[in-house]
């Protein structure tokens, strides 16, 4: 049990922040863990601006546009918490069927949600040190992983940040979408770290290079993730960018134009339901504080 818990938490909390090329930096969160088949469009597609589009099968209304491949069976939860499932893909167009509304029912699950609320509101407090449970005989009772997850309502205030695809860059600011080394995505990571530190959250920013940008990058970056995990963080963020068009993420909130965040969960991840639940809790908490900031949740093919 002792060794199972950290692995469970890693799968559950390993979330990535992405940003796509374009005039605006575009943010997207992705839970990335293991090596998978190529999940991105080709460089030729990118140069030709051929993106994948998900549309409603009934009226053809656009649901989302992305630089990631969309496959039959993929699911998507929109900004308004409507769940869709992809039923067919032809070329770069994926037709999806509306299933139901989701989101509100997850308010009752306080384990992860309590953590998310504190994290988003900047009230993360260090966990109490030296507090142990016992059975009255001087021995601490070993909790099951599920009990430990439910008891994680008080964040320790420690976040890990790293970059699987170090080369990812931005044409408007870097002059290219890829740099062989520390690309523009590292600057996004720096800004993310600075924002966390302003909330007095301790951050470990690991900038180890996992080049080249290929399928093996996830396998190489897993070593980095495991090193960060040894420090006992609340969450590990893998900072990425989505190659989708900036217009698909731009949103006006009040008088200000912002870029939205998107969460991605791998459908082949053996802990998919746990990761999906965390994504729903994260979106639910964000919606209460910054409505429309989270664009949606993409349950994509892959074991992220």
């Amino acid at each position: 049990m002792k060794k199972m818990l950290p692995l469970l938490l890693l799968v559950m909390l390993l979330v990535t922040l992405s940003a796509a090329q374009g005039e605006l930096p575009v943010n997207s969160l992705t839970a990335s863990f293991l090596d998978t088949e190529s999940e991105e469009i080709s460089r030729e597609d990118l140069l030709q601006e051929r993106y994948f589009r998900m549309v409603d099968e009934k009226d053809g209304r656009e649901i989302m546009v992305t630089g990631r491949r969309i496959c039959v069976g993929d699911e998507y939860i929109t900004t308004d918490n409507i769940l869709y499932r992809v039923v067919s893909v032809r070329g770069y167009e994926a037709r999806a069927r509306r299933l139901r509304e989701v989101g509100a029912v997850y308010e009752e699950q306080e384990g992860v949600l309590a953590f998310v609320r504190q994290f988003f509101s900047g009230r993360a407090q260090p966990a109490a040190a030296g507090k142990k449970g016992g059975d009255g005989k001087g021995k601490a009772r070993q909790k099951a992983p599920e009990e430990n997850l439910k008891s994680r309502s008080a964040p320790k205030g420690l976040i890990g940040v790293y970059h699987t695809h170090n080369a990812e860059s931005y044409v408007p600011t870097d002059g290219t979408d890829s740099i062989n080394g520390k690309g523009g995505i590292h600057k996004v990571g720096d800004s993310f770290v600075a924002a966390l530190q302003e909330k007095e959250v301790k951050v470990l920013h690991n900038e180890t290079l996992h080049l080249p940008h290929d399928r093996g990058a996830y396998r190489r970056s897993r070593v980095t993730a495991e090193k960060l995990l040894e420090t006992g963080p609340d969450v590990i963020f893998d900072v990425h960018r989505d190659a989708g068009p900036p217009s698909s993420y731009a949103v006006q909130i009040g008088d200000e134009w912002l870029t939205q965040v998107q969460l991605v969960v791998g459908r082949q991840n053996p802990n998919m339901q746990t990761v999906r639940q965390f994504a729903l809790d994260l979106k639910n908490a964000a919606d209460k504080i910054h409505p429309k900031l989270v664009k949606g949740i993409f349950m994509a093919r892959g074991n992220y």
Side-chain angles (χ1 to χ4, degrees):
M1 281 298 195
K2 228 172 178 182
K3 292 185 179 179
M4 289 175 60
L5 179 58
L7 291 176
L8 178 61
L9 294 180
L10 173 64
V11 174
M12 177 179 179
L13 301 176
L14 183 58
V15 186
T16 72
L17 179 68
S18 324
Q21 77 172 64
E23 296 179 1
L24 297 172
V26 178
N27 295 328
S28 172
L29 291 177
T30 307
S32 304
F33 185 46
L34 302 174
D35 185 21
T36 66
E37 296 179 7
S38 176
E39 78 279 7
E40 301 173 338
I41 59 175
S42 68
R43 184 170 181 78
E44 180 182 355
D45 289 335
L46 178 61
L47 294 175
Q48 295 296 321
E49 298 185 351
R50 291 193 295 254
Y51 305 110
F52 273 83
R53 297 172 63 248
M54 185 183 296
V55 301
D56 190 302
E57 67 168 347
K58 288 188 176 181
D59 55 19
R61 180 177 54 84
E62 185 175 280
I63 300 170
M64 78 152 174
V65 181
T66 179
R68 299 176 55 87
R69 297 183 182 279
I70 301 178
C71 305
V72 173
D74 288 351
E75 295 183 343
Y76 189 72
I77 297 176
T78 68
T79 306
D80 299 323
N81 288 333
I82 304 301
L83 174 63
Y84 284 86
R85 178 176 297 150
V86 176
V87 294
S88 66
V89 178
R90 184 174 182 179
Y92 295 88
E93 182 177 279
R95 301 184 68 82
R97 181 171 302 159
R98 174 174 172 152
L99 299 182
R100 63 182 182 277
E101 183 174 355
V102 299
V105 296
Y106 298 97
E107 293 183 19
E108 299 178 1
Q109 302 190 24
E110 294 294 330
V112 175
L113 185 55
F115 159 73
V116 172
R117 283 174 176 163
Q118 292 184 50
F119 176 74
F120 263 86
S121 59
R123 295 195 299 272
Q125 299 295 330
K131 188 174 182 180
K132 297 181 179 180
D135 57 6
K137 299 179 182 179
K139 289 186 177 181
R141 181 176 65 86
Q142 177 64 50
K143 292 183 178 181
E146 295 78 8
E147 293 180 78
N148 279 280
L149 287 174
K150 292 178 181 179
S151 67
R152 287 176 60 85
S153 59
K156 293 185 294 184
L158 178 62
I159 303 296
V161 177
Y162 72 107
H163 310 267
T164 290
H165 291 154
N166 311 93
E168 291 177 332
S169 302
Y170 303 83
V171 173
T173 54
D174 299 312
T176 178
D177 61 281
S178 182
I179 294 176
N180 187 28
K182 290 185 178 181
I185 196 61
H186 281 257
K187 297 177 183 177
V188 176
D190 290 339
S191 297
F192 181 46
V193 168
L196 289 171
Q197 291 174 336
E198 285 181 6
K199 291 182 175 292
E200 298 183 354
V201 175
K202 295 180 180 179
V203 185
L204 298 175
H205 191 187
N206 189 317
E207 298 192 80
T208 298
L209 298 181
H210 311 107
L211 301 170
H213 183 155
D214 59 12
R215 289 178 57 189
Y218 284 114
R219 183 176 62 254
R220 293 188 289 273
S221 70
R222 180 174 180 174
V223 177
T224 299
E226 289 175 340
K227 288 181 179 178
L228 284 170
L229 185 63
E230 291 175 357
T231 66
D234 294 303
V235 186
I236 301 176
F237 290 87
D238 183 0
V239 184
H240 283 265
R241 66 128 170 85
D242 179 3
S247 59
S248 65
Y249 284 83
V251 62
Q252 186 174 12
I253 300 179
D255 297 328
E256 190 174 5
W257 279 94
L258 304 173
T259 52
Q260 295 173 299
V261 169
Q262 180 155 282
L263 300 157
V264 181
V265 177
R267 290 192 290 114
Q268 279 71 44
N269 188 317
N271 295 278
M272 183 268 191
Q273 292 303 323
T274 303
V275 180
R276 181 180 184 271
Q277 180 63 58
F278 178 71
L280 284 165
D281 287 341
L282 187 63
K283 182 180 184 302
N284 190 33
D287 287 346
K288 295 178 184 301
I289 303 170
H290 299 294
K292 296 183 180 180
L293 177 61
V294 176
K295 178 179 176 65
I297 303 173
F298 185 20
M299 278 70 74
R301 185 182 68 175
N303 53 5
Y304 309 107

